[in-house]
Amino acid sequence: MALDPDELYEVDSDVPDLAGAVLLHHFDGFVDAGSAGGLVAEQLLAEFAHRVVARFDVDRLIDYRARRPPMIYVTDHWAEYRAPELVVNLLHDHDGTPFLLLTGPEPDREWELFAAAVRRLVQRWSVRLTVGFHGIPMGVPHTRPLGLTAHATRPELVGGYQPLSDRLKVPGSIAGLLELRLGEHGHDAMGFAAHVPHYLAQASYAAAGLTLLEAVADATGLALPADSMRESARSTDAEIDRQVEESEEVADVVRALERQYDTFADAEAEKDSLLAETVEHMPTADELGSAFEQFLADQQGPPRPETS
């Protein structure tokens, strides 16, 4: 029996005309090295007044036993249950331009139905562009410019970015599926992945968030707040430098990554190739893919025992 995507969400009865607006999205639960995407979402919600205009049915989408919501116990009774929320907020940028932000836990089930539901909202509000963002761990040093992988449903949307030259097989995500399905139905969608030094993957790395924020602003034309995140990035980088200086072992690792990065960059500049012959010690696409999958496995932890 076919399920109706419209039954998966509720829409506010007082939503203004949003024709031509942008929909941004970030989901908790998938890889987000350096909390890069989470920092962007938090910054937007902290900077701009917002209100919920659509709410998804998390009881159908979330596996509570895999990600147990917090409850508050006071003395002798349960006082509060903090249910997860998967919502679309309406915000306005510094120029007063409306835009939408979809945030919350990545659905555990009914991915296709969820993607179809978001597509219904895109059509309902005449959204012109959908953009996702997150961070991925890479073998790069924090002392060099952060890289950025951009992908989209049309090559024209990411014409200013260096494409990958290889075919990669990586674990799926609802963000990736959403972009794929929107493109199949003729909607413009794109995403950004900031390259976060692997030794900072578990930290909140503001520089990666800033890289994403600036990329989103450039792609959408929205006037987004970058000053506070830029200051946080400077402060965080200074603290990282201090800690590196205090550990010769860590400093050796960073210097090795710097040499690798510089050799790769020089070879690329000379040969205009991501696979320069002189960069024999650079990781291959398979090695990067294996490292990426191992990172995801580490985040998931050991498998839970089956119950009868």
Side-chain angles (χ1 to χ4, degrees):
M1 182 178 67
L3 299 177
D4 185 358
D6 290 333
E7 295 180 356
L8 204 57
Y9 61 86
E10 293 181 353
V11 177
D12 190 277
S13 60
D14 184 27
V15 179
D17 181 12
L18 295 173
V22 169
L23 171 65
L24 309 181
H25 61 80
H26 174 72
F27 302 101
D28 300 327
F30 185 55
V31 59
D32 188 25
S35 299
L39 289 172
V40 172
E42 290 173 7
Q43 178 69 22
L44 295 176
L45 293 173
E47 180 76 14
F48 300 123
H50 53 276
R51 66 181 180 92
V52 174
V53 293
R55 189 181 303 274
F56 287 88
D57 184 356
V58 292
D59 271 353
R60 290 181 57 175
L61 296 171
I62 303 301
D63 179 357
Y64 292 114
R65 292 184 299 172
R67 289 179 286 178
R68 294 183 182 273
M71 296 183 66
I72 306 301
Y73 185 84
V74 178
T75 309
D76 59 359
H77 67 283
W78 294 107
E80 185 180 354
Y81 168 61
R82 298 178 180 175
E85 290 189 319
L86 188 55
V87 298
V88 180
N89 273 285
L90 172 62
L91 307 86
H92 293 77
D93 73 358
H94 285 309
D95 293 334
T97 303
F99 69 98
L100 300 160
L101 177 61
L102 168 58
T103 57
E106 181 183 42
D108 294 302
R109 54 176 69 94
E110 297 196 275
W111 276 19
E112 290 288 2
L113 193 66
F114 177 76
V118 175
R119 180 166 54 84
R120 292 283 180 89
L121 292 177
V122 165
Q123 295 170 335
R124 178 181 186 139
W125 292 326
S126 298
V127 169
R128 67 176 173 87
L129 178 65
T130 301
V131 185
F133 43 86
H134 68 124
I136 57 175
M138 297 288 282
V140 296
H142 72 281
T143 53
R144 298 295 186 267
L146 294 185
L148 190 71
T149 295
H151 42 82
T153 54
R154 292 189 296 114
E156 294 83 1
L157 294 173
V158 290
Y161 295 91
Q162 176 67 50
L164 293 178
S165 59
D166 291 299
R167 181 184 181 94
L168 300 177
K169 181 179 180 181
V170 299
S173 69
I174 191 60
L177 179 63
L178 178 58
E179 183 177 315
L180 176 65
R181 294 293 183 249
L182 286 172
E184 290 174 344
H185 287 83
H187 299 289
D188 281 349
M190 62 189 305
F192 295 105
H195 301 172
V196 178
H198 58 76
Y199 53 89
L200 297 174
Q202 300 298 324
S204 290
Y205 190 42
L210 177 62
T211 297
L212 290 176
L213 186 65
E214 292 177 338
V216 170
D218 183 63
T220 62
L222 293 172
L224 302 179
D227 289 345
S228 60
M229 190 170 289
R230 188 172 292 110
E231 180 59 34
S232 295
R234 283 194 289 263
S235 176
T236 301
D237 283 345
E239 176 60 21
I240 293 170
D241 288 337
R242 184 188 66 80
Q243 294 186 29
V244 169
E245 291 176 0
E246 293 178 354
S247 172
E248 187 61 29
E249 182 180 359
V250 174
D252 286 343
V253 172
V254 173
R255 283 192 290 266
L257 289 172
E258 288 174 339
R259 289 192 297 270
Q260 177 175 277
Y261 182 100
D262 293 341
T263 301
F264 179 71
D266 290 343
E268 183 181 359
E270 291 175 3
K271 304 186 69 171
D272 193 29
S273 171
L274 287 177
L275 297 175
E277 296 176 0
T278 57
V279 195
E280 296 178 357
H281 59 289
M282 284 299 293
T284 65
D286 288 341
E287 290 170 340
L288 287 176
S290 296
F292 186 41
E293 291 183 1
Q294 183 59 53
F295 178 83
L296 291 175
D298 291 342
Q299 309 315 300
Q300 294 170 356
R304 290 180 294 132
E306 297 183 359
T307 56
S308 57

